[in-house]
Amino acid sequence: MKKYRLFGVISAVCIVLSVLYSFVGNSQVPTSRVLLSTNPPLERILPFEAEAEKPQSPVNLTLQAVDAAGKSLTNAKINLQILTPPRNPWLTTDFPIVEGTKLLEINANAPDGKLEIQQMLPIRGNYQLLVKVSPLVANTFAAYEQSLNINVHENPIKYKYFAVIAAILLSLGLLGGWIIGGQEELQQGEIAPQSVRLLLSALTVVAIVTLLVINISAEVAEAHGSGHHSTSTETIAPSSQKSQGLEINLEGDKNATVGKLANLALQVKDVTTGQPITDVALQIKAIATEHNLTVFDYKGIPDEQGKLTWLEQFFDGSPHKIEVEATPITGSSRQFTPVKVAQEVEVEAIAPPIYIRLIGLFYFTTFVGIGMAIGLLIQHRRKPQTRTN
């Protein structure tokens, strides 16, 4: 009887050990994944700055789909979504409307399992990249998804500006506290000494001017965005082109809004047969015409229907131009000179909500109040010494 019990215990232990081993082993088995590389490196990526002294370039993002052995997958279809950092009303960015939105979504055929784009990242914070990889040929590999992150640091020059403004506001508050704390005796019929009345009047004027500047600048920015019209005399290519046996049509939204995605699509067909063409290379660029900055750049091929679709957000409230250049693929029997199509997109800017402006005014007032409290405290400690002397 004891032998049977011992045998049962040993069997149970073996089963438990085998389950644990299989669990640990499965958790360590490598799986298919997406490798991300950036240029410049992650620690050197800065958010978009319209008034930068040097021309700013978009960030080069390279996504490589690999299998469990680390070998590049072939004939893959990659869907990429870029989500902007979440909203933070107490520490807003230069584009508060862009926070917590989708910046880009693109479906791309990747014969070598690689997707490479250039995208301008508008604000600081943690961006989330949602990647879905699926096979173009059924059952060649299992489809999978992966989430990647890019942390964009704030431009260091912003911290310098903040320090200078904070020092100025603290100094003004300190001066005000010093004057109020050292007020002279009240004269008959006076509510407050003359120096205090002058100081309070000056602070009231400053507060009114600040509110006017904040609101007027926001309204001007909104009017600037909504009333923007391209004044460039440059002749752009048409949005539809028939040339050398190719028919290329660039379609999509011609009016966009900051914070929302614009739908864009490209169709390539044979002029004679009307059949889709897939053996061409397409170079797509989105250019902010006001600053002549490229905010998005991608080179790829159309899908089996001769289409290439993407959704893009134009975060800068200025007109944009979409340029597409079709070129023959190396080694293809279809050879032709490059064909270009283009389309202008008017972008409507959205002014920041009023509560964001009031939060900024609250921070300014807080710095002045802290400085004033320090000035009052200094004068309060000086008075007993003066009386004693």
Side-chain angles (χ1 to χ4, degrees), residues 185-362:
E185 295 293 333
L186 289 176
Q187 301 296 328
Q188 185 176 4
E190 286 186 334
I191 300 176
Q194 183 179 6
S195 58
V196 176
R197 284 185 277 121
L198 291 174
L199 175 63
L200 293 176
S201 299
L203 290 176
T204 302
V205 172
V206 170
I208 294 174
V209 171
T210 304
L211 278 173
L212 288 174
V213 169
I214 292 175
N215 285 278
I216 291 175
S217 60
E219 296 299 329
V220 169
E222 185 174 11
H224 178 68
S226 60
H228 237 316
H229 296 284
S230 179
T231 57
S232 175
T233 57
E234 179 186 0
T235 303
I236 66 171
S239 59
S240 181
Q241 189 87 277
K242 292 183 179 180
S243 175
Q244 306 169 78
L246 296 177
E247 181 181 352
I248 305 177
N249 296 309
L250 178 58
E251 303 172 347
D253 298 334
K254 296 183 179 181
N255 294 281
T257 304
V258 174
K260 298 181 180 180
L261 291 173
N263 292 279
L264 298 162
L266 195 65
Q267 174 74 63
V268 185
K269 296 188 296 185
D270 188 285
V271 173
T272 305
T273 64
Q275 295 298 314
I277 295 176
T278 60
D279 57 345
V280 294
L282 301 173
Q283 178 87 34
I284 302 172
K285 289 185 179 182
I287 302 171
T289 56
E290 183 177 5
H291 307 289
N292 196 29
L293 286 177
T294 300
V295 296
F296 172 71
D297 193 341
Y298 168 69
K299 186 173 184 179
I301 59 175
D303 60 16
E304 58 277 2
Q305 297 178 352
K307 292 183 178 181
L308 199 158
T309 60
W310 74 103
L311 291 87
E312 184 176 355
Q313 179 185 165
F314 302 102
F315 57 86
D316 184 18
S318 64
H320 284 65
K321 179 174 62 174
I322 308 298
E323 288 185 346
V324 180
E325 182 179 24
T327 55
I329 294 178
T330 304
S332 173
S333 59
R334 187 185 301 274
Q335 297 297 315
F336 54 91
T337 57
V339 181
K340 292 184 178 182
V341 293
Q343 178 175 298
E344 290 186 335
V345 179
E346 291 292 333
V347 182
E348 179 184 359
I350 304 295
I354 186 65
Y355 74 88
I356 291 180
R357 309 178 209 176
L358 294 177
I359 288 175
L361 181 61
F362 168 76

Side-chain angles (χ1 to χ4, degrees), residues 104-165:
L104 177 73
E105 181 174 356
I106 185 170
N107 291 300
N109 284 5
D112 56 354
K114 180 186 290 186
L115 171 62
E116 185 173 1
I117 66 169
Q118 295 182 44
Q119 174 66 53
M120 192 77 76
L121 302 178
I123 58 177
R124 68 172 186 272
N126 188 33
Y127 289 80
Q128 189 177 17
L129 278 63
L130 303 180
V131 187
K132 297 179 182 178
V133 182
S134 57
L136 287 174
V137 180
N139 301 322
T140 53
F141 63 87
Y144 63 94
E145 301 179 8
Q146 187 173 344
S147 178
L148 304 167
N149 293 281
I150 295 178
N151 188 29
V152 177
H153 301 284
E154 184 60 277
N155 195 327
I157 195 67
K158 298 290 182 67
Y159 296 115
K160 296 180 181 179
Y161 291 155
F162 173 77
V164 171
I165 293 174

